[in-house]
Each structure stands twice: as structure tokens, then as C-alpha cells.
Amino acid sequence: MAQQVKAVIARTKGAPVEVTTIVVPDPGPGEAVVRIQACGVCHTDLHYREGGINDEFPFLLGHEAAGIVESVGAGVTEVAPGDFVVLNWRAVCGQCRACKRGRPQYCFATHNAEQKMTLLDGTELSPALGIGAFAEKTLVAAGQCTKVDPAAEPAVAGLLGCGVMAGIGAAINTGNVGRGDSVAVIGCGGVGGAAVLGSRLAGAAKIIAVDIDDRKLATAQKLGATHTVNSRTTDPVEAIRALTDGNGADVVVEAVGRPETYTQAFYARDLAGTVVLVGVPTPEMKLELPLLDVFGRGGALKSSWYGDCLPSRDFPMLIDLYLQGRLDLGTFVTETIELDAVEQAFARMHEGDVLRSVVVL
């Protein structure tokens, strides 16, 4: 039987979000209904509200979430009612060319629930990243549910669903940071801070955090940065080179998503080093680099989509490390809020006051 629950929607472009009642259908084949316990407030949700993703309003916002599986549809075997799960937006298909080549982290045909959640008047909702978790309950494809140890705090575990996984994965999976490497991270918000944490986990010897906000640099130090550079007052390229014997860093993670900071990352890496773009640019942005420099410097220029993660592999591993006290995920939770405070959380995000506001239900 369909259920009516409270949820946060963006009804029109640029308008403040609102809490309203939505209808969640019973799960069909391959689907699951999840009772949400916590959901992080991510920049991507703000992009949806501003029409920066697409114009398929109204949106059901929220995607960085953890909760309890309430019910499953026919044919679901990977999770069962009562399982504690982190939701992911990469439900691999197992059949596309990437999956068949043994590279499911690049799946080209990830899937979402077939049925639509609606407003009371029947208007279909577009769930953010196929999840829509600023809600008491949501409907997802069962493959979007990744079972993890229930000992983890939901407010912490849910962050692996997007930003924290993106940053850790950018360093470890995409950048292949290894023992003894030098790493620079440009932009130390939630994703960049996670890249610092991932670099530390991978055994990097030198981790240089770059930002224009001293508060974020202080947090980066807590997460493992060995050096900090305030790029508002210091040339970051020169500073990174000075800290790496004039060579540049082995891996530079760009977590801002702007042409200016990408250019800094390009010139701040060592010859044959790696640049990883994990910051999300906007459609109108253009990048211009001398092609001779791209050729002459060698190395690799990579993009990291969702930290090149495989949720079934990476989420349980990272939760285990967190429970062992080896991965400081709790630092990312700046505050916990209620469902009706999402709009205010967007404002604090703009002001740089938080790494993550987390809605707790």
C-alpha cells in the first residue's frame, strides 16, 4: 500500500525549498523502500534547486543518505527488510560494456527505481540522483542500497553516499596515491577534505591543503594535511613547488571545479604527475591550456566521477575503517538539523560555515 510521508522538494527554479507530503508507492520488482535516518546537505542538491542539473521540476532533493530497508519488491536478493544501508547513485547494471570488461565502477547504464514518487495531486517527482532522500522514506532501485555495519552512526555513514566517497576515491581510486607520495588538494570543503583524508589513508608523505578560507585549512590539518596554503594571499603553484623541492606534487586533486584552479593544479604537479578533477564545473566553463605544455609535461589528466568507487566494495570497507578508529569521518558532520532546516543549510553552505549539515530523521 502506498505511503504518505514528509519530504523536501524544489518546486520551481531558484525558489526556496519546501516541506510537503509525498506519496511513496510499494516497491515493484527490483525496488526497495528505505526509511531514511540521515541525509547530508550536498552542493548537488543546491544545483538541482537552481536548475543547474536539468529543468525536470519538481525535484525531490537529498541523496547522501543512510537508513533501514523497510520493504523490497519481487526478485530482490541483495538486501532484505531490516538491513542498514547507505544509498548510492551507481547501481551497476552488470551488462554494459564496462561491467562486462570487469570495470563496474565505470558502469554506463546505472539504474534507478522504475516507479515514480508523486505529490498528493499525482504530479511526478524527479528524485535527486535517482534517490530523493530528504524524506522520511524513499523508493530506490535495490541496487542503490549498499549494506554496511549497523554499528555506524547514520549521520556519518550516509556521507559515503556522495561527497566523502567522491573525495576519498579521487585520491585513492583515481589518483592512485601511494606510500611516500606528495599530494596537493586545491579546495578543502567536504570533497577536498575527504581527498586529504584519503591521501593520509593511502600513506602519502606530504599532503598540501590549498584554500582561501583559513577555517577549512584548519579542518584539513585535522584530517591529515601536513602543510597548508592560503591561496588568497599566496601563489599556490609556487607554494606547492617550494614544498616539493621545486618539482610539484605527485598528485594534485582539484576539488573546486573552475578553470582557474584547474590550471593551478596542472602547473602544480610534478612532471609526469597526475591531476584529478573531482570538483564539478558548470556547463559554460571553458579550459584553455597550451597544447605543448600538455604534451611536454606528460603524466595524466583524469576526471573522478563519484571517486571511481564501487559501492559494494568501498562502502563496507570504509565503514569498517571508521569503526576501527582509523578513518575520521565524524569530522565532516558540522551540524545535525531537522527536515525543515534545509533551506537555512544551503545559506550556511554559501557562507562556508559548514563541511556538512546533516538532516537527521
Side-chain angles (χ1 to χ4, degrees):
M1 181 177 179
Q3 303 180 67
Q4 296 183 9
V5 302
K6 296 296 183 183
V8 174
I9 68 166
R11 195 178 292 273
T12 58
K13 181 178 179 178
V17 300
E18 59 184 271
V19 179
T20 190
T21 300
I22 68 168
V23 178
V24 180
D26 283 343
E31 296 175 342
V33 169
V34 178
R35 175 170 57 83
I36 301 300
Q37 294 179 304
C39 184
V41 181
C42 177
H43 276 87
T44 302
D45 295 303
L46 183 57
H47 288 325
Y48 272 106
R49 193 199 73 174
E50 297 300 309
I53 307 294
N54 58 53
D55 60 357
E56 297 173 4
F57 290 90
F59 291 110
L60 173 57
L61 300 180
H63 60 278
E64 200 175 67
I68 303 295
V69 175
E70 182 178 87
S71 58
V72 298
V76 174
T77 58
E78 55 264 58
V79 291
D83 285 345
F84 177 59
V85 297
V86 175
L87 299 184
N88 73 78
W89 40 274
R90 177 172 278 164
V92 299
C93 71
Q95 300 298 319
C96 71
R97 60 191 185 280
C99 289
K100 288 183 175 179
R101 294 173 69 187
R103 301 172 184 173
Q105 68 271 28
Y106 301 126
C107 179
F108 301 124
T110 58
H111 53 280
N112 303 315
E114 291 289 334
Q115 299 182 89
K116 290 288 189 178
M117 292 174 279
T118 68
L119 297 176
L120 289 176
D121 64 4
T123 301
E124 293 187 347
L125 293 164
S126 300
L129 292 174
I131 292 176
F134 286 152
E136 294 169 324
K137 297 177 184 179
T138 193
L139 176 77
V140 294
Q144 294 179 275
C145 300
T146 304
K147 186 177 177 179
V148 298
D149 192 325
E153 287 288 333
V156 172
L159 299 186
L160 291 180
C162 188
V164 170
M165 184 69 255
I168 292 176
I172 294 177
N173 296 334
T174 313
N176 295 313
V177 173
R179 295 188 300 274
D181 281 350
S182 59
V183 180
V185 178
I186 299 178
C188 293
V191 174
V196 168
L197 185 61
S199 299
R200 179 184 183 183
L201 183 66
K206 189 169 290 183
I207 305 170
I208 305 163
V210 180
D211 204 283
I212 60 174
D213 189 330
D214 285 331
R215 296 171 298 177
K216 292 181 180 178
L217 292 173
T219 301
Q221 284 185 301
K222 294 179 183 177
L223 294 169
T226 59
H227 301 78
T228 62
V229 175
N230 188 318
S231 55
R232 188 185 295 277
T233 57
T234 304
D235 184 325
V237 176
E238 293 303 317
I240 292 167
R241 286 178 175 171
L243 289 166
T244 54
D245 301 321
N247 300 317
D250 297 311
V251 179
V252 183
V253 178
E254 201 279 67
V256 181
R258 294 192 58 83
E260 304 91 332
T261 44
Y262 188 90
T263 301
Q264 291 170 352
F266 179 80
Y267 287 109
R269 66 176 179 141
D270 196 357
L271 294 175
T274 299
V275 173
V276 176
L277 174 64
V278 67
V280 181
T282 54
E284 73 279 4
M285 290 179 179
K286 306 291 183 183
L287 177 68
E288 184 173 334
L289 286 171
L291 192 57
L292 183 60
D293 285 355
V294 176
F295 172 77
R297 295 178 65 85
L301 307 178
K302 297 183 174 182
S303 296
S304 185
W305 190 69
Y306 208 0
D308 287 334
C309 79
L310 184 60
S312 60
R313 174 195 66 197
D314 294 338
F315 289 7
M317 173 192 69
L318 293 174
I319 288 295
D320 286 347
L321 290 174
Y322 158 70
L323 291 173
Q324 294 166 20
R326 297 167 60 191
L327 193 65
D328 182 15
L329 298 179
T331 294
F332 292 93
V333 182
T334 307
E335 63 176 358
T336 57
I337 61 174
E338 296 185 356
L339 202 59
D340 60 2
V342 169
E343 186 65 32
Q344 294 91 325
F346 284 152
R348 285 192 290 276
M349 183 189 298
H350 268 308
E351 295 162 4
D353 291 337
V354 295
L355 281 182
R356 271 298 185 269
S357 301
V358 179
V359 174
V360 175
L361 293 98

